[in-house]
Amino acid sequence: MTMLADAETPVDEGVDLLAEMLPEDAHEGRPVVMDEQAKREARRAVIAGICVPGYIVPFGSREMPVARGWGSGGLQVTLAIGGTDDQVKVIDQGDEEGVNAVNLRRLIVGTLGAAATADTEVATIVQSRHRVPEEAMSVQHTLVLQVPQSEPLRAVEKSVYECKRRHAEADYAKMWVLLYERLALTGVMGTGTGHPVMVHDRYLMAPSPIPRWDIPRLHQSEHLTLLSHGRDKKIYAVPPYTDVEPLSFDDVPFEVEYLEGVRCAKCGTEASFMVETKTNEHICSDVQFCLKVRAGEADLDAHDVLIPHRYFPDPRKRVRARSSVEVGLPVPPPAGVTAPGEDWSLKVDGLGKIYRGSRGSSEVIAAADVSFDVAPGEALGVIGESGSGKSTVMKCIIGDEADATGSVRIGAVQEGMSNLLDLDASARRRLRTNTLSVVYQDPAMGLDLNISAGGNIADALIAAGWRSYHMIRRRAAELLARVDVPLERMDDVVGQFSGGMRQRVQIAKALATDPQVLLLDEPTTGLDASVAAGVLDLLRELLTERELAVVVVSHDFSVIKALTDRAVVMRQGRVIEQGLTDQLLADPHHPYTQQLVAAAQS
């Protein structure tokens, strides 16, 4: 493979029509499909992709003289890296003679002055969309895959910013949740084509829509694989001898498409990826390989090494769709962790937050010198009217507010020595996987309403590192049973639930990883009185069972009285009174607190 085309190779006779339509390079006599600047941009992206396997690299994609859907991204890569001494093989769904394959091959060969071939063994560049050739490829080969969807997270995350953030932090829990949901509903790990993979144990990648049969061929391959999407303007790569592992659970293996005993109707082999015909027969998807088998020219021993035997379906390891889960006694959560020599699990000291006005407008002091601590097994209430600063304090503890002053410490985090306000956003998010949990007023803020109740709990567990499907499912069932969500609704989408049921699922999710600190933000606001009473009863029981440090933010005195041991009263961003909840509500000292209590009792 050469990086620049030889200037003396004439145009192939098979592209006369194309040559008439496109301008010619005056020195080479070949049609100009990509200028040198465009080729350099594609090459730079290719090199960056090779240096960081699986990382999606943007490039200056150009319009190509091909129909939409023909794989302009793959075409640009092939034209950028190919040259006159290359042998180019182009396949579409395993066939070299399909309309797309024929036209792309003519365009590539005519532009580069390269030779065309249907034989994988002699090819140097193989451009494909739906298949990795059945025959072995080596260091002489470069596989170029035309990609219809460059962003693997698009199936679970619509925000481009969030996709970038998740790649940067290797936060791929949502993709495992998608696999969990499919397993729970269908009992099969299979995801059709383009199964997500981890490259070099770092980046999530969605291969071109190659069948699952071909996924193992990318692992530790001798050849270079380049993937490109023209419209998305993205290129990524799998260099030779790179780990490529399909996503799967530890106890439910990845499977390839394989039908035991089914043979190709043309060549008789049962050891290749096959497609079903209209006459219900099965034939090899790779046409050239099938022809070689029929002619006795295929190296079947070499091909046998490539067959993904270890990923053939194993009925013994299958799960039953929507299967019931036996719920045992819940495992007692670990005791609350305090800082050494202290009695608190959570300590807030001198917390302050100022909202800066724009263009000289006045500043707003949302919180000023707020201090309190919470011991394991204790619940602290934060009381105040709207605008008092209680929600700001909650957001600062969670990490939703930047530029707060003071300190927030958790006994389980570096023995209480680390100020959480000094941590970056990524570190704060990691804390919320197993140390700090939140139950929001609006369940939609704490749940994904588009997935099941079990899937929401799986989301929390997977983010915390759980990878056993059966353990995740059993844990989800135990938690849902504990919050009185019927197990027959475990696999129902949460968006179909009532408000009270959603709140119960959110509570179960918040408790999934046995956090040290639990924050409740107006947990019953917006619920009907009877539903709210049920949620309060549930919370009271759960707080009694667990050694959690709990902060309850609410303007509702009945909630504070039902759940908390101590309380602080806030006004204009400051704590104006604090004490035992019963005493504070029975005998308030500050005039503002007296007004609040009187208003609540009237």
Side-chain angles (χ1 to χ4, degrees), residues 330-344:
V331 178
V337 177
T338 61
E342 303 289 348
D343 59 1
W344 49 263

Side-chain angles (χ1 to χ4, degrees), residues 41 64 235:
E41 289 181 12
M64 292 284 102
I235 288 174

Side-chain angles (χ1 to χ4, degrees), residues 90-92 94-102 105 118 287-288:
V90 181
I91 56 176
D92 185 70
D95 185 11
E96 293 84 0
E97 298 306 320
V99 174
N100 289 358
V102 169
R105 182 170 63 246
V287 174
Q288 184 66 19

Side-chain angles (χ1 to χ4, degrees), residues 121-264:
E121 289 188 14
V122 301
T124 56
I125 298 177
V126 178
Q127 181 171 324
S128 175
R129 176 166 54 176
H130 297 95
R131 284 304 315 275
V132 175
E134 289 285 346
E135 293 181 273
M137 291 189 291
S138 63
V139 291
Q140 79 175 40
H141 295 94
T142 296
L143 175 63
V144 179
L145 291 176
Q146 305 160 196
V147 182
Q149 177 58 267
S150 63
E151 178 51 74
L153 292 172
R154 194 70 57 84
V156 295
E157 181 58 69
K158 303 307 178 186
S159 167
V160 174
Y161 170 80
E162 270 298 294
C163 288
K164 291 181 178 179
R165 196 271 301 170
R166 290 182 183 277
H167 282 299
E169 298 178 13
D171 178 4
Y172 299 128
K174 280 188 174 292
M175 189 58 73
W176 263 284
V177 173
L178 178 63
L179 297 183
Y180 166 90
E181 290 279 89
R182 288 174 174 171
L183 270 172
L185 294 175
T186 68
V188 180
M189 171 62 73
T191 54
T193 58
H195 185 92
V197 298
M198 288 297 296
V199 179
H200 200 49
D201 199 30
R202 175 56 183 86
Y203 285 104
L204 184 74
M205 186 182 84
S208 167
I210 58 177
R212 298 190 305 280
W213 179 277
D214 289 339
I215 294 291
R217 293 285 304 281
L218 301 179
H219 177 67
Q220 286 290 316
S221 62
E222 293 185 19
H223 64 272
L224 168 65
T225 302
L226 302 175
L227 305 96
S228 180
H229 190 304
R231 290 194 303 276
D232 279 1
K233 302 183 178 182
K234 299 292 192 301
I235 288 174
Y236 42 109
V238 178
Y241 307 108
T242 298
D243 287 343
V244 178
E245 297 288 349
L247 259 63
S248 64
F249 290 98
D250 295 342
D251 52 346
V252 183
F254 168 75
E255 295 180 354
V256 298
E257 310 90 338
Y258 176 71
L259 298 174
E260 188 174 2
V262 173
R263 294 181 176 273
C264 173

Side-chain angles (χ1 to χ4, degrees), residues 528-549:
D528 293 340
S530 60
V531 175
V535 170
L536 280 178
D537 289 341
L538 169 64
L539 286 170
R540 191 160 46 237
E541 292 176 15
L542 292 172
L543 299 186
T544 301
E545 293 173 3
R546 295 165 181 264
E547 289 289 299
L548 295 171

Side-chain angles (χ1 to χ4, degrees), residues 273-299:
F273 177 71
M274 283 178 271
V275 293
E276 189 173 2
T277 67
K278 293 180 179 179
T279 59
N280 298 321
E281 293 179 320
H282 288 81
I283 60 173
C284 293
S285 169
D286 188 327
V287 174
Q288 184 66 19
F289 174 75
C290 189
L291 291 172
K292 280 192 173 185
V293 173
R294 279 183 271 172
E297 299 174 356
D299 187 342

